[in-house]
Amino acid sequence: MHANKNDEAVTVETPGYVGKWSELGDMHFAFETCTAGYSMDDLLTAFPDRACPVEHWGYLFRGEVRVEYTDGTEEFLTTGDAFHIKPGHRPYMTAETELLQLTRAADHQHLVKTFSEAGLLG
C-alpha cells in the first residue's frame, strides 16, 4: 500500500487549505497545503478547550507552523522538520506551508465526525 501526493485527488478544499487524504492501514495520511495565516480556530470551536484533542506526526516540506498548546507552551516547526504534536494544540501557519501529516485513522475519523456534527464541515 502506498500514497503519492502527486497522484492523490483533492479530498478537502477550503479557504486557505487544500488536503489530499488517504488511509493506509491504521493511519490517515494528509498531504496538506496551507496559506500563510491559515488556522483551525473555527473548526476547533467544536471542542471544549478549543484545541485539537489528538496527536499527529509528520514532515514539513516547506513553510512554518506555530503550535500553541493548552498547557501554555508553544513550538515552531520549519522546513525540513519531522514532528510529533501532542494532544491539546492549536496550529497557526505563519508562512505558506506544505506538509505531510499522519494521524491514527480512528482519531481522524473522530475529528471529522465531531466537526460535521457541529455543523463546521460542508
Side-chain angles (χ1 to χ4, degrees):
M1 296 172 39
H2 72 277
N4 183 300
K5 75 174 185 160
N6 298 319
D7 297 336
E8 294 293 318
V10 172
T11 308
V12 175
E13 188 168 3
T14 62
Y17 174 88
V18 176
K20 296 178 176 185
W21 297 354
S22 62
E23 288 190 7
L24 302 173
D26 294 337
M27 297 300 291
H28 178 269
F29 287 70
F31 295 102
E32 301 175 315
T33 303
C34 306
T35 59
Y38 176 77
S39 80
M40 294 184 60
D41 285 351
D42 290 341
L43 289 173
L44 295 175
T45 61
F47 300 102
D49 58 2
R50 298 177 155 246
C52 183
V54 304
E55 61 188 327
H56 309 280
W57 298 262
Y59 180 80
L60 239 67
F61 295 105
R62 65 182 169 92
E64 183 179 79
V65 182
R66 180 173 58 87
V67 182
E68 291 181 358
Y69 292 99
T70 55
D71 66 5
T73 61
E74 70 177 9
E75 68 179 314
F76 286 86
L77 308 173
T78 61
T79 299
D81 283 350
F83 61 84
H84 171 254
I85 299 175
K86 62 187 179 181
H89 64 273
R90 296 175 200 95
Y92 298 96
M93 306 306 158
T94 57
E96 187 167 318
T97 301
E98 184 178 358
L99 67 142
L100 170 62
Q101 180 167 262
L102 291 80
T103 308
R104 289 183 185 93
D107 288 345
H108 183 263
Q109 292 162 8
H110 167 71
L111 290 174
V112 171
K113 180 180 181 203
T114 301
F115 297 151
S116 295
E117 289 174 350
L120 299 170
L121 291 180

